[in-house]
Amino acid sequence: MGVEKKKLEITGVLFAGGESKRMGQNKAFLEIGGKPLLERNLEVLDSICSEVLISCREPEQYSGYGYQAVADQIKGKGPMGGLYSVLPVAKYDYVFVAACDMPFLNSEAIAYIYERIEDYKLVLPYVRDRLHPLHAFYHKKVLKVVEKRIKEDKLRLFDIADECRHKIVDISEEMEGSMLKEMIEESFLNVNTPQEWELILQKIQ
C-alpha cells in the first residue's frame, strides 16, 4: 500500500456555473471516459484539499456528489458572486478556486501555487500570456473587497488584486526547463466551445 498524501489545510472550491452559451450545455457534465468533468475535478480537489465545496446557482443539481453545494447568494454576478458566497462558508483561511471546465486540473499545479502563498491575500498564476483567476488562491479576508466590487458591479476577479496584497506567479517563466512544466501548464487549460472540446478529446485519445 502506498503512503497517503497529506492534504493541505485549504478549502477547494469547484465553480460549476451552469449553462454555457458557447458550449450549448453545462460544461460540468461533459464526460471523459464516461466520467463527468465535475466528478473528475472534485476528486482532484479532494486529493489535496482538506475541505471541498461546490459553488453553483442550483445546489439540487449537485446534491449527489458528497460535497456541500453553496448557492450564489446574489444571482447573476458570475464567479465574483460565487466567491462572495463561498468565502464565509469555507472552513480554512485559504480557498483555492477552480473552474469545472478544466479537463487536466491536477494536484501538482495546485500544490505548486500553494507553496508560493506566504501571507499574500491573493495568489494569481500567470500562464501562457494570461492570468488565471479561476485557478487561484484567495484568503477569506478578501471578502470585503469582493463585497465592494459586487456593489459597484465590477465583476472581474483579477481586479481584486488592486485592493489587496497579492502575488502573481509566472509559471511558464519559473518552470522553464522543468520536466513538469507541460503537466503544470495543462492544469490551466479550459474549454469553451464544442470545437475546443473535440480537440481535448483527440488529445486524450
Side-chain angles (χ1 to χ4, degrees), residues 3 21 66 87 114 145 179 189:
V3 178
K21 290 186 176 76
L87 284 174
Y114 176 78
V145 178
M179 289 173 68
L189 192 69

Side-chain angles (χ1 to χ4, degrees), residues 106-159:
N106 61 70
S107 59
E108 287 78 9
I110 299 168
Y112 187 89
I113 305 164
Y114 176 78
E115 285 161 11
R116 284 147 184 81
I117 279 182
E118 298 171 43
D119 62 346
Y120 292 99
K121 298 300 177 274
L122 167 61
V123 183
L124 270 174
Y126 183 79
V127 183
R128 293 174 178 165
D129 301 321
R130 70 183 190 93
L131 292 166
H132 291 265
L134 284 178
H135 192 304
F137 277 96
Y138 298 82
H139 194 283
K140 282 171 76 83
K141 285 184 177 175
V142 303
L143 180 60
K144 284 182 182 175
V145 178
V146 172
E147 189 172 13
K148 178 172 174 276
R149 291 268 155 180
I150 285 174
K151 283 177 181 171
E152 295 169 351
D153 211 34
K154 295 176 181 174
L155 303 177
R156 296 191 308 177
L157 279 181
F158 47 75
D159 286 346

